[in-house]
Amino acid sequence: MEPENHFNLIDEPWIPVVDVGRVSLRQIFTQPEYRALGGNPVEKIAITKLLLAIAQSAATPADDEAWATMGAAGLAGRCIEYLEKSHHRFWLYGERPFLQMPALKGSRIQPFGAVLPEISTGNTTVLLASQVEKPLSDGDRALLLITLMGFGLGGKKADNSAVLSPGYMGKTKPNGRPTSGKSGAWIGFLGYLHSFLQSESLQKTLWLNLFSHQQIDSMSFYTAGLGGALWEEMPDGETCPIALRMQQSLMGRLIPLSHFCLLTDAGLHYSEGIVYHGYKEGGIDPTVAVNHTGAVPKAIWVDSEKCPWRQLTALLSFMGQTGNNRFDCYQLSLNLTRARTHETTIGVWSGGLKVRGNAGEQYVSQTDDFVESLLLLKSQYLGELWYQQLAEEMNGLEQVAKRLYGATMNFYKTQMVDGASQAAMSSSLFWQLAERLFQQMVDACEPHDEASETRKGLHQQFARLVHQAFDTICPRDTARQLDAWAKCRPNLARYIN
């Protein structure tokens, strides 16, 4: 008996949208008033990549001129036409379940909570109600499936005894036992930081991030070019011809199929899928920033103690830096210059999930967490001068943060106490307080006299935040503490003046 088709992703609500709730794929491309995606940062990245894969399949423009002529409304219309023609390929359950491998039937079944990083499993202590596994609706399962395509964590939860390509030995140890599953292409070893352009509406955001054929050709590392959508032609296994083409195409990076899945009522069949090269081997995700100028390439990872806005100068280093400090994030560098001529304000969204690993097992622990930030850039001022001023201001903030750290250490040292943890706390508190002022600093880097006066005022405010953090962490209740506090309090006269 053939399984019945039900829960079509084009018709059913499953995508979280800010201020709206869950919507369907059809609503995404027919409702221009939707502002942005909801959910956690990992879900936002996964859905954005899926929507971009649909948009690239429906209407990849030849060049920038064709992209501008099409516009956001034109792109949405082409996507709706494409989805109507492809309606039969978007069933979550049925004979051809969306992005799933029916051949996995018979392999080990994992509960859904086992593959959700925020859920406590095994002997992990449960601290919050949100860490307890709950029943998933079909919409939740669709969202989980899309997320697992690239964000599945490495480890033994993947049943690697299920090998779909005959003779494939990549999931088998020399002793014949199955290996641990590798991490997904979107997460890497520690959790990549992903970045997109963002506009005031979701449809415009997709339009701004759409690559043209000309841009794809310029990314010579995609030797198979754009490639085909997975829902049009699914691979049979880990190394079939379709899988090998996916490893070398842009579509393979938008929907990587790093894990093979098959949803069931009790959980899901789950195994390692197609293995993609990491950034050190030349495998490049356009939303990840990588520095290729050194002997060993470096990527920007998620740091849960360092919000993404502090990485803005590295993410935009293509604007003004040459030499060893230049990072390339193709999603930003190829599209930001083009978008400037059509948008007065452009958002740069960055986010991801910090993870750690041990002996092949990845997990979320200690201070690991989701992070995200959004900064708005005014198009008319973007350029090398603006970037150089921003880099100078960020360097200034880093210097006063270091001074605060040193001052806190000295405060405790004068009292014969190790103050390393308190120094880290004061520095962390300063950066948390400074975040609310950073957008003003970004705006004040514009090359005109009025902005210069604004920057001076902001220096005063940042200096007050440094002293606020120092006063919070360094008590002055006793005479001895008061003496140390007066001697060590940071002097920021040079920064203010």
Side-chain angles (χ1 to χ4, degrees):
M1 182 178 176
E2 292 184 354
E4 181 183 354
N5 290 335
H6 65 284
F7 201 87
N8 193 287
L9 302 183
I10 298 174
D11 304 322
E12 303 287 347
W14 63 280
I15 302 173
V17 170
V18 170
D19 301 330
V20 178
R22 297 290 182 98
V23 302
S24 66
L25 279 173
R26 179 179 282 105
Q27 288 173 288
I28 288 286
F29 293 108
T30 55
Q31 304 292 330
E33 67 273 17
Y34 291 166
R35 189 161 56 86
L37 292 172
N40 64 45
V42 162
E43 292 169 343
K44 290 177 183 176
I45 295 167
I47 297 172
T48 301
K49 285 175 174 283
L50 171 68
L51 296 177
L52 285 174
I54 292 172
Q56 297 282 177
S57 300
T60 299
D63 50 29
D64 289 352
E65 185 178 351
W67 170 84
T69 302
M70 178 169 62
L75 174 62
R78 296 277 296 275
C79 290
I80 280 295
E81 291 176 14
Y82 175 81
L83 289 176
E84 296 297 348
K85 290 179 184 175
S86 307
H87 188 274
H88 60 289
R89 303 182 192 278
F90 283 79
W91 294 108
L92 186 61
Y93 307 102
E95 184 182 0
R96 291 184 56 183
F98 185 70
L99 300 186
Q100 296 170 64
M101 307 293 279
L104 282 181
K105 200 171 184 178
S107 64
R108 188 174 74 226
I109 292 181
Q110 286 284 4
F112 293 116
V115 293
L116 286 165
E118 66 271 26
I119 299 299
S120 296
T121 56
N123 59 359
T124 305
T125 305
V126 178
L127 299 175
L128 303 169
S130 60
Q131 294 175 288
V132 179
E133 182 179 359
K134 301 176 181 63
L136 300 186
S137 65
D138 287 334
D140 294 329
R141 295 179 186 186
L143 193 54
L144 173 63
L145 179 70
I146 302 302
T147 304
L148 289 176
M149 293 297 100
F151 279 115
L153 302 185
K156 297 177 181 177
K157 291 173 181 174
D159 182 3
N160 277 2
S161 63
V163 178
L164 304 187
S165 286
Y168 177 62
M169 298 300 293
K171 296 160 75 171
T172 307
K173 295 179 181 178
N175 62 7
R177 302 183 66 180
T179 63
S180 296
K182 296 181 179 60
S183 59
W186 295 339
I187 193 92
F189 178 57
L190 296 172
Y192 293 122
L193 184 71
H194 296 264
S195 299
F196 298 95
L197 299 182
Q198 186 164 323
S199 185
E200 75 269 16
S201 76
L202 183 52
Q203 289 186 5
K204 268 195 172 182
T205 294
L206 296 176
W207 177 60
L208 291 182
N209 286 286
L210 189 73
F211 286 118
S212 67
H213 280 294
Q214 192 176 55
Q215 290 174 323
I216 297 169
D217 291 342
S218 72
M219 295 185 282
S220 55
F221 38 86
Y222 297 133
T223 55
L226 173 62
L230 269 177
W231 48 85
E232 294 178 355
E233 192 176 32
M234 282 287 285
D236 298 324
E238 296 83 356
T239 57
C240 70
I242 298 172
L244 296 179
R245 285 200 301 273
M246 284 186 60
Q247 290 173 320
Q248 301 164 355
S249 69
L250 173 63
M251 293 296 282
R253 287 286 167 174
L254 290 174
I255 303 293
L257 205 64
S258 294
H259 286 88
F260 293 155
C261 302
L262 180 64
L263 299 173
T264 72
D265 292 337
L268 77 168
H269 300 281
Y270 185 66
S271 181
E272 180 184 300
I274 301 170
V275 177
Y276 291 79
H277 288 311
Y279 68 96
K280 290 184 179 178
E281 294 82 38
I284 298 176
D285 192 313
T287 58
V288 174
V290 181
N291 183 341
H292 291 280
T293 56
V296 179
K298 297 179 181 176
I300 296 181
W301 301 98
V302 170
D303 185 345
S304 53
E305 298 182 359
K306 187 176 181 180
C307 290
W309 61 269
R310 291 177 59 187
Q311 304 279 11
L312 185 63
T313 51
L315 292 171
L316 300 181
S317 58
F318 61 88
M319 281 189 178
Q321 285 193 1
T322 57
N324 295 335
N325 293 323
R326 177 184 168 123
F327 282 83
D328 280 311
C329 175
Y330 292 93
Q331 197 72 46
L332 301 181
S333 62
L334 293 181
N335 294 326
L336 186 58
T337 303
R338 182 182 67 178
R340 287 177 56 191
T341 58
H342 300 274
E343 296 284 296
T344 56
T345 302
I346 304 169
V348 173
W349 183 94
S350 300
L353 172 65
K354 171 76 171 67
V355 296
R356 65 188 67 207
N358 184 25
E361 197 75 26
Q362 279 187 311
Y363 48 86
V364 176
S365 180
Q366 300 179 36
T367 59
D368 299 341
D369 203 352
F370 298 109
V371 299
E372 65 178 319
S373 68
L374 172 66
L375 290 168
L376 302 178
L377 313 180
K378 293 180 182 176
S379 299
Q380 69 181 108
Y381 297 114
L382 290 182
E384 189 171 350
L385 285 178
W386 173 86
Y387 176 80
Q388 288 175 350
Q389 187 63 55
L390 176 69
E392 184 178 327
E393 294 300 333
M394 269 313 295
N395 184 56
L397 288 176
E398 294 285 352
Q399 292 304 316
V400 296
K402 287 180 181 176
R403 189 161 299 176
L404 169 63
Y405 185 94
T408 309
M409 284 285 290
N410 287 335
F411 171 83
Y412 284 95
K413 188 177 180 180
T414 57
Q415 300 172 81
M416 309 300 286
V417 176
D418 181 8
S421 60
Q422 288 86 351
M425 289 170 60
S426 66
S427 181
S428 175
L429 178 58
F430 165 70
W431 286 114
Q432 291 178 51
L433 296 170
E435 182 173 7
R436 59 183 175 174
L437 293 177
F438 190 68
Q439 180 64 61
Q440 296 178 46
M441 182 57 81
V442 170
D443 296 338
C445 290
E446 298 161 359
H448 54 71
D449 294 339
E450 186 180 344
S452 176
E453 291 301 314
T454 304
R455 288 197 297 274
K456 290 179 182 176
L458 286 169
H459 288 180
Q460 299 271 0
Q461 294 187 59
F462 282 122
R464 281 196 288 272
L465 296 181
V466 168
H467 288 147
Q468 181 181 341
F470 181 80
D471 294 347
T472 302
I473 303 301
C474 301
R476 51 189 186 280
D477 299 325
T478 65
R480 189 179 176 197
Q481 289 174 342
L482 184 60
D483 183 57
W485 176 86
K487 287 180 180 177
C488 301
R489 201 166 192 247
N491 182 346
L492 302 177
R494 292 183 62 184
Y495 178 69
I496 295 173
N497 300 319

